[in-house]
């Protein structure tokens, strides 16, 4: 991501990363499930369960922007801490539903 971000900018690099991830996910879904039925089922779930998709964009931004500013170790630590905090929040929300 660093080289692509340097060449085209951070936001376009993140957009390309998300698009490539979407394509890979769709291919994997077709290979394993042989249909897109899982997408229809997911569309009927509560919106808060989609937080993982939003959080993945923040993780990509953090990994793209963080290392040059605070270093790789600190960036990885922040991403792991963010994952743990968000997991705790999601678990708390799941128990209430």
């Amino acid at each position: 991501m660093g080289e692509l971000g340097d060449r085209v900018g951070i936001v376009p690099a993140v957009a390309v990363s998300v698009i490539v991830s979407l394509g890979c996910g769709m291919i994997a879904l077709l290979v394993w499930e042989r249909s897109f039925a899982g997408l229809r089922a997911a569309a009927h779930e509560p919106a808060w369960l989609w937080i993982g998709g939003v959080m993945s964009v923040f993780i990509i931004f953090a990994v793209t922007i963080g290392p040059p500013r605070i270093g790789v170790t600190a960036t990885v630590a922040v991403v792991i801490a963010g994952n743990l905090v968000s997991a705790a929040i999601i678990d708390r929300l799941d128990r209430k539903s």
Side-chain angles (χ1 to χ4, degrees), residues 41-52 93-94 97:
H44 293 29
E45 295 298 324
W48 70 266
L49 289 173
W50 293 39
I51 292 172
L93 289 173
D94 188 38
S97 59

Side-chain angles (χ1 to χ4, degrees), residues 7-92:
R7 291 179 182 220
V8 300
I10 292 172
V11 174
V14 170
V16 167
S17 177
V18 170
I19 291 168
V20 170
S21 295
L22 175 65
C24 291
M26 298 300 251
I27 290 169
L29 187 60
L30 282 175
V31 168
W32 272 276
E33 299 291 329
R34 293 186 176 85
S35 76
F36 291 116
L39 294 176
R40 283 190 292 274
H44 293 29
E45 295 298 324
W48 70 266
L49 289 173
W50 293 39
I51 292 172
V54 175
M55 295 303 294
S56 67
V57 173
F58 288 117
I59 291 170
I60 293 169
F61 267 122
V63 171
T64 302
I65 295 170
R69 292 184 169 88
I70 62 173
V72 173
T73 303
T75 301
V76 170
V78 168
V79 168
I80 291 171
N83 279 324
L84 292 173
V85 168
S86 64
I89 291 169
I90 290 169
D91 282 348
R92 181 75 175 171

